[in-house]
Amino acid sequence: MSSNKKYWKAPEQIHESAKVDHLEKNEFVEPLPTDEQDGESNSSTTRRDFLKYVGFSTAAATIAACEGPVIHSIPYAEQPERIVPGKSDYYATAMADGFDFAGVMVKTREGRPIKIENNELVRTTSASKARVHASILSMYDVQRLQKPEVKGEQRSWVDFHLLVKDRLRKLKGKPIVFLTQTFASPATKKLIREFKKKYPSTRHVVYDAVSESASLDAFEEKFGLRALPKYELSNARNIISIGADLLGDWQGGGCDTAYSQSRQPSKEMSRHYQFEANLSLSGGNADYRVPAKPSTQKRILVELYNRLVNNTTTVDLPKNITKMVDQAVNDINNNKSRSVVITGIQDKNAQRLAMEINMALNSELMDVDDPKMIREGSDAEVMELVREMNQGKIGALITSGVNPAYSLPNADAFKKGTKNLDLMVSCAMKMDETASLAEFVAATPHYLESWGDVQFSKKEFALTQPTIKPIFNTMQFQDCLLDWLGKEESYYDFLKRYFNNNYEGLSWNQCLHDGVYRYEKAKVEPSSSTVSFDAGQVCGQLASSSVNGFELALYTKIGMGDGQQANNPWLQEFPDPITRNTWDNYVTVSKRDADELGIENRVRSNGAIDGDLVNIKVGDRSLKNVPIFVQPGQAPGSLGLALGYGRKSGLKEEMQVGHNAYPLYKNFKSDQSVNIEKTEGNHEFACLQLQNTMAGREDIIRETDLDTYLHQSKEEWNKTPEFSKDHAMEPVDSKKVDLWTSFDRSIGHHFKLSIDLNSCTGCGACVIACHSENNVPAVGKEEVRKSRNMHWLRIDRYYSSGDSFDEEKEKLKNLGTFETFKDVETASYDNPQVAFQPVMCQHCNHAPCETVCPVGAIGHGRQGQNQMTYNRCIGTRYCANNCPYKVRRFNWFRYNQNDEFDYHMNNDLGRMVLNPDVTVRSRGVMEKCSFCIQMTQKSILDAKREGRPVKDEEFQTACANACDNGALTFGDVNDKKSEVFVESKDDRMYHLLGYLGVEPNVMYQTKVNNKNKMKEKSNA
Amino acid sequence: MSHYEAPVRKPLVTGDKVYKDVTEDIVRPIEGRANKTWWIVFSIALVAFLWGLGCIIYTVSTGIGTWGLNNTIEWAWDITNFVWWVGIGHAGTLISAVLLLFRQRWRMAINRSAEAMTIFAVVQAGLFPIIHMGRPWLAYWVLPIPNQFGSLWVNFNSPLLWDVFAISTYLSVSLVFWYTGLLPDFAMIRDRAKKPFQKHIYSILSFGWSGKMKDWQRFEEVSLVLAGLATPLVLSVHTIVSFDFATSVVPGWHSTIFPPYFVAGAIFSGFAMVQTLLIIMRKVSNLENYITVNHIELMNKVILVTGGIVGVAYITEFFIAWYTGSPYENYTYLSFGAATGPYWWAFWALILCNMLVPLTLWVKKYRRNIIWTFIVSIIINIGMWFERFDIIVLDLSKGRTPSSWAMFSPTFVDVGIFVGTLGFFFVLFLLYARSFPVIAQAEVKSILKLSGDKYKKMREEHGDDVQMYNLPEQRPLPDFKGMVEELEQKNEEVRDEKGELIESLLLKIGDASNDNADDLKRLSGVGPALEKKLNQIGVYKYQQISKMSDKEFTILNRLIDAFPKSKSRFWSGEANILNQI
């Protein structure tokens, strides 16, 4: 640094004369302390260097003085045996919250559960998969109770139990009532029996918020067992459903996998008739859907009984329904043993009638030997309990897993009754409506922190094991019971002992590992004797049911269910598969009735939908200012309203949406006679999809009927789009019409995803699984309303504008030059055909998004993925504009650690659910489906480390994993033995908007319906 | 004959202007003071600008979510405004470069302001691509600069990147071209400037322009070269902006007609904006003689031609959308679906403003009507804004998958930023109008003899060969010698008369000298100036004054200008007393 230049002061210096030397030496009396300044005499540090050092050290000191974020992480003192950082562990366990029962696999990272996966060993699946997959977030809920509370004060468990035991003793024989959810747990039943031994006045009342009592009673009457018949639909040829949402929550759900199997297009494909009031998922998937209000449904059931069992016609039905019943009867008669009639009418007689029909048909689809045990509730007992509570006959009420103060139709009576109790203990995860009434609130753990067993069906069982140490100071209901019984053992010991005593020949460790087990010798005590059935009387009663005014059909949404998980932002933001509304419940009404009542839905200038408000009244109970939604396909004369909304207690303010419909759920009947009147006001919906039809476009959902599919060439029903080149038509995938020189894709992996539109029911499990795997943020109602939802995977729902999609296309072709497109744009309100289509990033090989990014933040992976580099993205959003599929999602705000978006990403507990393998995106960047590249990459690396080729089943995405209907198949198309390779060669394969030639790596399989087209044509 | 122009051509400079008048008229706004109207308009513009700035700061600090955009319509007002401003910035270069090459002399009166408008408009336009980014602090990533990020490089396939080059090239060439033309004019202001500060500033700005023949020769050469360079830019900039849309796969954007159609549209809107600004400016700065109705009519003709091209393009788009038979084209911004859909108002605003209203300019009476031209120019500006809004928002709102159809409504931030850029634009333009020569006076002077009203008339009267420097009607020079003599004689007479009066005065009051003069300022109404005057006459002492009477005061009144006659009444009394003290 220092310069070597010499400066001279006098000419003598140049000549280095001795005189100068001498003078210089004698200039100062003492030598200058230059050495000290420079360090060493030959130091080259100059003033400039000095300034640099000062500058750097000041800057360094400044930076060091800035406070970095302090993250409290405590290293393991000893490395646990099984926990390897960066490696996931999976545990099999079971969810049983009284409404949803499912055997699941739980993915944990560093001891922290982050995702729910399906357990493929479970045969009796049940419940809405969306809720099951979302249940993990309910564990990381800041509103949870963290400690037991006595009279609103936090106490230790020792104090709590001492106080409860003391109070139990003081009851002196007054009845103790357990009001619990359906545990379906043999061990818990045993435990309650033991409790009964100590306190003989104990009674156990099982309460299902959404009742299946009618079916349970009917089954009990017929077969002497309180259970639900199991329907094995995979071999079905004819499924006739009368008001049963078999793809939804009907009788505990769980029919969809088998249903999807039966829907595979072949000669054996099932045909599905659906008679229903609200347009449900089942109705959307049915070949023939007939809108019929609940009272008509009853008559249809009677008519079917008469036609199939007695061969008579007795009931007057509208002409179009009679025609459809005729057709159904014809089809059933062609193959009786593989046909089934099911009903969702909440009436013991109706359920009984359906069973009788199936028995008469000798249907092999109804399984009564291994019935489902996941509902035990008895409406009558619950009502009796409330009555007794009000009479002051009950000493102690101990609730667990239920929230009657919210969900009972007569919740007010219940609340009043609690005042007469000597003791009320509520075992609850939240300070919900019921817990806030109780003197003693036992904080219970989430199922992922608990032990337990579940009996799905008579012969199939599952074990629940904790996947994390309880986050809070909680104790599960069974442990409390053991303590109150004065036992030292934990519920784990109790459960293990019970298991070893009762399941001969089964290994505890193996069963715990598998999560599920079958025990063929399982015995269930018959509860009562069979009762004879007077068909004539039943039919007469059902057929005569008539209702004045509107009929309300209450239902549960596939996202919200009975409302237990209302504080779960994933589920709140999960769109209803039919209406595509989020964060809401509302009255659905048919267009015809809406016009009569003067009700409308309005589209605002920002594209959002607003609706009118109504008051509805059932008997003496009314619900005020409920938003109303005009629903295509709603049976005229009927209204729909979802249960499970409108909860207030123990919920974040953002989640307190909707109206509580339980007060209208009189006598636990899902159909009610109702009065409706329009009121002043306006409601803002947060609807994800505003356009309801495909506007006659052919390349979105391809559909054909079974006959055409079986007997005609692919060209007829699934023609590859063509492109004109030099006045000759070339198929769009031909190299001749390709502008690009693409690289050799035959080397290495090439991922493709195939979506079978026949298997997809639109349930949305994949949507939640994608949220969970990819850290997709929740953005809240206002943002969804502005079309800013962040879903990487959406399930489009289309209604036809005519009676069918074919008619819609025909309409467009015949449209006059100066006719508006209203005809094809507006859904048919009477009874539209419905179609579902999951859409995520299509990973185009010729991706329009990739070319337009100015900074090259989007690249195409060697393995076919379209890769988004968040770090490089500057947020011009050009890619999203240029995406024909509109699957790219922009971070309009910072969604994490932001009080404006106070969802799970805004607190430390909620952030525990985040997948450490996936970046949490910052604001201002684009994001989208990545084909779960973190998962495929892991599979490749695992195989590489083990020195073997990757197996086909190892390649998975979260959505494909979540779908046990087999609608999504993911894999390496270069592996000629892979499933996805087979799918890619299937005749049904087509690309969404294939004519664009963007060569998507997502394929769709043409939907094949089982409509009797030939016959219909000849009839016409 | 060197200054011959066909007499049928209307004069480009009216009002008997000679060279000096041109200079005076053009520097008047610069050398004078701003009037009240200017201050009011400037304040409004400044407030709008500051409001827009606030909105920009809010956007950058919070997120693009403060705008009304959504997952379907990811561009709306931002890119609409961007394209609109770029379009407005088209007229300047067309006028100065293309018309220069075509030797259109009428451009000289308007090119300076048109170019200024171009630059200010491009500045506004350039704002939007930056602030519309999700992470604008990384905007420099669009520049192909070597970086520390390894092999990262910009994506040369992206039309947005082409935009970066197109806009920055256009801005820099326009700026240089504009500035070159300003040099002789700045020099003119420098030479006239009286205040040293102004002189200093303008001499820096004029780059030492000396007005030598060599200067002028180089000036002409550079202008021609730059005009040659800028001409392709007129076509390229909006062509490339149109590629943002034309190379995409969005129905309605993907259209081969876009490049020529966008260029024509840009010139259309650019000229409309020039009309708007110049019609105001000629009035405010009294430039009616330079920007004449002729100029306005000529610009209206350009508007008619480009408007016609745009109209044909609209019809073609509409026809082709229908003719394809593709259902995806049913909803493009010029289609039946758009005309009857939820955005019908935007569709019809476009048709009305851009196609129908400009048709009135076919009528000569309207074309030459300044008020109507002004109204039409504003309507065209609105229409062209709607054109871009329609292209972007309508096309995006109904894309290929109907499930994602959505609509857009702006938030206050969207509106605020747009208004802010209008404010910013006018702030710049108003400052320019007060500190820059708004008309290229050097160029106008070059055509003054050719096309000036005065000289045209002269040729008409005296034939084409008239010598314009030897003015025929000059009066003979006056007799200067006689005048001087006469004046001297007069002065002498006056001097004589004064001498007599002083003599008679001093006779009465007595002589005195400066030696021990009294302080006459103590007399009422006498200040230092009056005292000096009295001394000059020979009045020094109180004693002299005490002897004065009305007669003497009358004499003094005649000798001294502005003599305080009313106060002098007291003097003799006062002097008497003062003398005795």
mmCIF file of all heavy atoms in Angstrom, chain A residues 905-935:
data_model
loop_
_atom_site.group_PDB
_atom_site.id
_atom_site.type_symbol
_atom_site.label_atom_id
_atom_site.label_comp_id
_atom_site.label_asym_id
_atom_site.label_seq_id
_atom_site.Cartn_x
_atom_site.Cartn_y
_atom_site.Cartn_z
ATOM 1 N N MET A 905 -49.784 -19.110 10.970
ATOM 2 C CA MET A 905 -48.405 -18.682 10.700
ATOM 3 C C MET A 905 -48.016 -17.455 11.511
ATOM 4 O O MET A 905 -46.905 -16.955 11.377
ATOM 5 C CB MET A 905 -48.240 -18.377 9.211
ATOM 6 C CG MET A 905 -48.055 -19.606 8.369
ATOM 7 S SD MET A 905 -47.417 -19.129 6.776
ATOM 8 C CE MET A 905 -47.574 -20.644 5.869
ATOM 9 N N ASN A 906 -48.938 -16.957 12.328
ATOM 10 C CA ASN A 906 -48.629 -15.755 13.099
ATOM 11 C C ASN A 906 -48.294 -16.067 14.559
ATOM 12 O O ASN A 906 -48.217 -15.173 15.374
ATOM 13 C CB ASN A 906 -49.795 -14.765 13.018
ATOM 14 C CG ASN A 906 -49.391 -13.373 13.454
ATOM 15 O OD1 ASN A 906 -48.267 -12.955 13.217
ATOM 16 N ND2 ASN A 906 -50.288 -12.676 14.125
ATOM 17 N N ASN A 907 -48.166 -17.342 14.893
ATOM 18 C CA ASN A 907 -47.731 -17.622 16.258
ATOM 19 C C ASN A 907 -46.813 -18.836 16.274
ATOM 20 O O ASN A 907 -46.843 -19.676 15.379
ATOM 21 C CB ASN A 907 -48.942 -17.824 17.184
ATOM 22 C CG ASN A 907 -49.846 -18.928 16.712
ATOM 23 O OD1 ASN A 907 -49.448 -20.091 16.696
ATOM 24 N ND2 ASN A 907 -51.052 -18.588 16.295
ATOM 25 N N ASP A 908 -45.998 -18.882 17.305
ATOM 26 C CA ASP A 908 -44.971 -19.920 17.351
ATOM 27 C C ASP A 908 -45.567 -21.315 17.351
ATOM 28 O O ASP A 908 -45.027 -22.233 16.737
ATOM 29 C CB ASP A 908 -44.118 -19.743 18.620
ATOM 30 C CG ASP A 908 -43.083 -18.649 18.437
ATOM 31 O OD1 ASP A 908 -42.771 -18.348 17.271
ATOM 32 O OD2 ASP A 908 -42.601 -18.105 19.449
ATOM 33 N N LEU A 909 -46.713 -21.471 18.032
ATOM 34 C CA LEU A 909 -47.315 -22.800 18.109
ATOM 35 C C LEU A 909 -47.810 -23.216 16.725
ATOM 36 O O LEU A 909 -47.542 -24.321 16.258
ATOM 37 C CB LEU A 909 -48.470 -22.782 19.120
ATOM 38 C CG LEU A 909 -49.104 -24.131 19.367
ATOM 39 C CD1 LEU A 909 -48.103 -25.075 19.996
ATOM 40 C CD2 LEU A 909 -50.344 -23.998 20.229
ATOM 41 N N GLY A 910 -48.520 -22.318 16.069
ATOM 42 C CA GLY A 910 -49.067 -22.647 14.750
ATOM 43 C C GLY A 910 -47.976 -22.930 13.733
ATOM 44 O O GLY A 910 -48.132 -23.761 12.847
ATOM 45 N N ARG A 911 -46.866 -22.241 13.883
ATOM 46 C CA ARG A 911 -45.784 -22.447 12.911
ATOM 47 C C ARG A 911 -45.115 -23.803 13.067
ATOM 48 O O ARG A 911 -44.343 -24.216 12.217
ATOM 49 C CB ARG A 911 -44.751 -21.330 13.035
ATOM 50 C CG ARG A 911 -45.163 -20.053 12.323
ATOM 51 C CD ARG A 911 -43.995 -19.123 12.123
ATOM 52 N NE ARG A 911 -43.484 -18.594 13.368
ATOM 53 C CZ ARG A 911 -43.967 -17.509 13.980
ATOM 54 N NH1 ARG A 911 -44.959 -16.846 13.434
ATOM 55 N NH2 ARG A 911 -43.476 -17.087 15.117
ATOM 56 N N MET A 912 -45.447 -24.507 14.183
ATOM 57 C CA MET A 912 -44.853 -25.833 14.347
ATOM 58 C C MET A 912 -45.321 -26.802 13.277
ATOM 59 O O MET A 912 -44.708 -27.822 13.026
ATOM 60 C CB MET A 912 -45.169 -26.383 15.741
ATOM 61 C CG MET A 912 -44.233 -25.837 16.792
ATOM 62 S SD MET A 912 -44.661 -26.346 18.438
ATOM 63 C CE MET A 912 -44.185 -28.062 18.443
ATOM 64 N N VAL A 913 -46.423 -26.491 12.618
ATOM 65 C CA VAL A 913 -46.962 -27.399 11.615
ATOM 66 C C VAL A 913 -46.219 -27.260 10.289
ATOM 67 O O VAL A 913 -46.365 -28.073 9.391
ATOM 68 C CB VAL A 913 -48.481 -27.133 11.424
ATOM 69 C CG1 VAL A 913 -48.717 -25.989 10.452
ATOM 70 C CG2 VAL A 913 -49.187 -28.391 10.944
ATOM 71 N N LEU A 914 -45.389 -26.232 10.189
ATOM 72 C CA LEU A 914 -44.729 -25.985 8.906
ATOM 73 C C LEU A 914 -43.757 -27.112 8.551
ATOM 74 O O LEU A 914 -43.075 -27.651 9.408
ATOM 75 C CB LEU A 914 -43.979 -24.652 8.952
ATOM 76 C CG LEU A 914 -44.855 -23.417 9.118
ATOM 77 C CD1 LEU A 914 -44.005 -22.162 9.161
ATOM 78 C CD2 LEU A 914 -45.871 -23.324 7.994
ATOM 79 N N ASN A 915 -43.733 -27.403 7.279
ATOM 80 C CA ASN A 915 -42.844 -28.432 6.774
ATOM 81 C C ASN A 915 -41.458 -27.818 6.581
ATOM 82 O O ASN A 915 -41.297 -26.905 5.780
ATOM 83 C CB ASN A 915 -43.394 -28.928 5.431
ATOM 84 C CG ASN A 915 -42.562 -30.040 4.857
ATOM 85 O OD1 ASN A 915 -41.528 -30.406 5.409
ATOM 86 N ND2 ASN A 915 -43.011 -30.578 3.746
ATOM 87 N N PRO A 916 -40.457 -28.311 7.316
ATOM 88 C CA PRO A 916 -39.140 -27.686 7.206
ATOM 89 C C PRO A 916 -38.496 -27.877 5.836
ATOM 90 O O PRO A 916 -37.528 -27.197 5.523
ATOM 91 C CB PRO A 916 -38.318 -28.373 8.297
ATOM 92 C CG PRO A 916 -39.048 -29.617 8.612
ATOM 93 C CD PRO A 916 -40.481 -29.398 8.309
ATOM 94 N N ASP A 917 -39.035 -28.775 5.032
ATOM 95 C CA ASP A 917 -38.444 -29.001 3.708
ATOM 96 C C ASP A 917 -38.917 -27.985 2.675
ATOM 97 O O ASP A 917 -38.440 -27.994 1.537
ATOM 98 C CB ASP A 917 -38.799 -30.405 3.206
ATOM 99 C CG ASP A 917 -38.098 -31.471 4.017
ATOM 100 O OD1 ASP A 917 -37.051 -31.158 4.605
ATOM 101 O OD2 ASP A 917 -38.605 -32.609 4.065
ATOM 102 N N VAL A 918 -39.894 -27.169 3.050
ATOM 103 C CA VAL A 918 -40.464 -26.247 2.070
ATOM 104 C C VAL A 918 -40.351 -24.824 2.604
ATOM 105 O O VAL A 918 -40.695 -24.553 3.756
ATOM 106 C CB VAL A 918 -41.943 -26.597 1.778
ATOM 107 C CG1 VAL A 918 -42.541 -25.603 0.809
ATOM 108 C CG2 VAL A 918 -42.046 -28.001 1.216
ATOM 109 N N THR A 919 -39.873 -23.923 1.752
ATOM 110 C CA THR A 919 -39.697 -22.526 2.132
ATOM 111 C C THR A 919 -41.029 -21.875 2.468
ATOM 112 O O THR A 919 -42.034 -22.138 1.813
ATOM 113 C CB THR A 919 -39.137 -21.741 0.928
ATOM 114 O OG1 THR A 919 -38.190 -22.550 0.272
ATOM 115 C CG2 THR A 919 -38.551 -20.427 1.341
ATOM 116 N N VAL A 920 -41.020 -20.994 3.462
ATOM 117 C CA VAL A 920 -42.163 -20.119 3.675
ATOM 118 C C VAL A 920 -41.902 -18.877 2.829
ATOM 119 O O VAL A 920 -40.886 -18.210 2.983
ATOM 120 C CB VAL A 920 -42.317 -19.747 5.158
ATOM 121 C CG1 VAL A 920 -43.409 -18.704 5.338
ATOM 122 C CG2 VAL A 920 -42.646 -20.988 5.961
ATOM 123 N N ARG A 921 -42.811 -18.628 1.905
ATOM 124 C CA ARG A 921 -42.541 -17.601 0.897
ATOM 125 C C ARG A 921 -42.674 -16.188 1.479
ATOM 126 O O ARG A 921 -43.531 -15.917 2.298
ATOM 127 C CB ARG A 921 -43.503 -17.758 -0.281
ATOM 128 C CG ARG A 921 -43.102 -18.826 -1.243
ATOM 129 C CD ARG A 921 -43.342 -20.240 -0.752
ATOM 130 N NE ARG A 921 -44.737 -20.546 -0.504
ATOM 131 C CZ ARG A 921 -45.182 -21.694 -0.034
ATOM 132 N NH1 ARG A 921 -44.337 -22.667 0.257
ATOM 133 N NH2 ARG A 921 -46.461 -21.876 0.163
ATOM 134 N N SER A 922 -41.827 -15.309 1.000
ATOM 135 C CA SER A 922 -41.912 -13.916 1.436
ATOM 136 C C SER A 922 -42.926 -13.180 0.578
ATOM 137 O O SER A 922 -43.390 -13.710 -0.421
ATOM 138 C CB SER A 922 -40.557 -13.249 1.305
ATOM 139 O OG SER A 922 -40.299 -12.968 -0.052
ATOM 140 N N ARG A 923 -43.220 -11.971 0.944
ATOM 141 C CA ARG A 923 -44.174 -11.229 0.137
ATOM 142 C C ARG A 923 -43.528 -10.803 -1.176
ATOM 143 O O ARG A 923 -42.315 -10.660 -1.265
ATOM 144 C CB ARG A 923 -44.677 -10.014 0.897
ATOM 145 C CG ARG A 923 -43.852 -8.758 0.763
ATOM 146 C CD ARG A 923 -44.692 -7.569 1.207
ATOM 147 N NE ARG A 923 -43.927 -6.386 1.468
ATOM 148 C CZ ARG A 923 -43.681 -5.446 0.555
ATOM 149 N NH1 ARG A 923 -44.107 -5.592 -0.677
ATOM 150 N NH2 ARG A 923 -42.985 -4.384 0.879
ATOM 151 N N GLY A 924 -44.388 -10.638 -2.171
ATOM 152 C CA GLY A 924 -43.893 -10.142 -3.443
ATOM 153 C C GLY A 924 -43.362 -11.205 -4.378
ATOM 154 O O GLY A 924 -42.855 -10.872 -5.427
ATOM 155 N N VAL A 925 -43.473 -12.482 -4.002
ATOM 156 C CA VAL A 925 -43.016 -13.505 -4.929
ATOM 157 C C VAL A 925 -44.185 -14.388 -5.372
ATOM 158 O O VAL A 925 -45.203 -14.467 -4.717
ATOM 159 C CB VAL A 925 -41.902 -14.400 -4.329
ATOM 160 C CG1 VAL A 925 -40.746 -13.576 -3.845
ATOM 161 C CG2 VAL A 925 -42.450 -15.273 -3.215
ATOM 162 N N MET A 926 -43.983 -15.020 -6.499
ATOM 163 C CA MET A 926 -44.995 -15.906 -7.058
ATOM 164 C C MET A 926 -44.740 -17.304 -6.515
ATOM 165 O O MET A 926 -43.596 -17.677 -6.272
ATOM 166 C CB MET A 926 -44.830 -15.866 -8.577
ATOM 167 C CG MET A 926 -45.948 -16.461 -9.345
ATOM 168 S SD MET A 926 -47.531 -15.680 -9.038
ATOM 169 C CE MET A 926 -47.403 -14.199 -9.994
ATOM 170 N N GLU A 927 -45.804 -18.041 -6.309
ATOM 171 C CA GLU A 927 -45.616 -19.428 -5.918
ATOM 172 C C GLU A 927 -46.631 -20.303 -6.610
ATOM 173 O O GLU A 927 -47.617 -19.798 -7.181
ATOM 174 C CB GLU A 927 -45.729 -19.577 -4.396
ATOM 175 C CG GLU A 927 -47.088 -19.170 -3.828
ATOM 176 C CD GLU A 927 -47.140 -19.317 -2.317
ATOM 177 O OE1 GLU A 927 -46.409 -18.569 -1.652
ATOM 178 O OE2 GLU A 927 -47.884 -20.168 -1.837
ATOM 179 N N LYS A 928 -46.410 -21.586 -6.567
ATOM 180 C CA LYS A 928 -47.324 -22.515 -7.232
ATOM 181 C C LYS A 928 -46.889 -23.929 -6.923
ATOM 182 O O LYS A 928 -45.834 -24.140 -6.335
ATOM 183 C CB LYS A 928 -47.310 -22.278 -8.727
ATOM 184 C CG LYS A 928 -45.912 -22.414 -9.288
ATOM 185 C CD LYS A 928 -45.903 -22.881 -10.699
ATOM 186 C CE LYS A 928 -44.551 -23.442 -11.006
ATOM 187 N NZ LYS A 928 -44.438 -24.862 -10.778
ATOM 188 N N CYS A 929 -47.714 -24.863 -7.379
ATOM 189 C CA CYS A 929 -47.427 -26.282 -7.191
ATOM 190 C C CYS A 929 -46.049 -26.613 -7.733
ATOM 191 O O CYS A 929 -45.658 -26.169 -8.806
ATOM 192 C CB CYS A 929 -48.485 -27.085 -7.918
ATOM 193 S SG CYS A 929 -47.985 -28.751 -8.330
ATOM 194 N N SER A 930 -45.283 -27.417 -6.980
ATOM 195 C CA SER A 930 -43.920 -27.755 -7.393
ATOM 196 C C SER A 930 -43.809 -29.229 -7.751
ATOM 197 O O SER A 930 -42.724 -29.721 -7.947
ATOM 198 C CB SER A 930 -42.953 -27.437 -6.260
ATOM 199 O OG SER A 930 -43.194 -28.320 -5.183
ATOM 200 N N PHE A 931 -44.933 -29.924 -7.856
ATOM 201 C CA PHE A 931 -44.930 -31.391 -7.970
ATOM 202 C C PHE A 931 -44.236 -31.992 -6.753
ATOM 203 O O PHE A 931 -43.584 -33.024 -6.846
ATOM 204 C CB PHE A 931 -44.209 -31.853 -9.245
ATOM 205 C CG PHE A 931 -45.126 -32.229 -10.381
ATOM 206 C CD1 PHE A 931 -46.498 -32.147 -10.267
ATOM 207 C CD2 PHE A 931 -44.605 -32.677 -11.598
ATOM 208 C CE1 PHE A 931 -47.333 -32.489 -11.326
ATOM 209 C CE2 PHE A 931 -45.435 -33.023 -12.663
ATOM 210 C CZ PHE A 931 -46.794 -32.928 -12.528
ATOM 211 N N CYS A 932 -44.353 -31.331 -5.627
ATOM 212 C CA CYS A 932 -43.719 -31.757 -4.381
ATOM 213 C C CYS A 932 -42.282 -32.194 -4.625
ATOM 214 O O CYS A 932 -41.880 -33.314 -4.297
ATOM 215 C CB CYS A 932 -44.523 -32.863 -3.702
ATOM 216 S SG CYS A 932 -46.028 -32.246 -2.956
ATOM 217 N N ILE A 933 -41.523 -31.293 -5.173
ATOM 218 C CA ILE A 933 -40.150 -31.642 -5.588
ATOM 219 C C ILE A 933 -39.322 -32.097 -4.401
ATOM 220 O O ILE A 933 -38.418 -32.921 -4.546
ATOM 221 C CB ILE A 933 -39.510 -30.449 -6.325
ATOM 222 C CG1 ILE A 933 -38.213 -30.874 -6.999
ATOM 223 C CG2 ILE A 933 -39.302 -29.264 -5.405
ATOM 224 C CD1 ILE A 933 -37.682 -29.870 -7.975
ATOM 225 N N GLN A 934 -39.678 -31.606 -3.190
ATOM 226 C CA GLN A 934 -38.921 -32.042 -2.016
ATOM 227 C C GLN A 934 -39.129 -33.528 -1.767
ATOM 228 O O GLN A 934 -38.252 -34.203 -1.234
ATOM 229 C CB GLN A 934 -39.305 -31.211 -0.789
ATOM 230 C CG GLN A 934 -40.708 -31.397 -0.253
ATOM 231 C CD GLN A 934 -41.774 -30.644 -1.051
ATOM 232 O OE1 GLN A 934 -41.466 -30.003 -2.043
ATOM 233 N NE2 GLN A 934 -43.015 -30.727 -0.644
ATOM 234 N N MET A 935 -40.304 -34.041 -2.178
ATOM 235 C CA MET A 935 -40.571 -35.461 -1.962
ATOM 236 C C MET A 935 -39.882 -36.317 -3.027
ATOM 237 O O MET A 935 -39.267 -37.341 -2.705
ATOM 238 C CB MET A 935 -42.078 -35.719 -1.973
ATOM 239 C CG MET A 935 -42.788 -35.106 -0.772
ATOM 240 S SD MET A 935 -44.590 -35.160 -0.903
ATOM 241 C CE MET A 935 -44.913 -36.881 -0.585
#
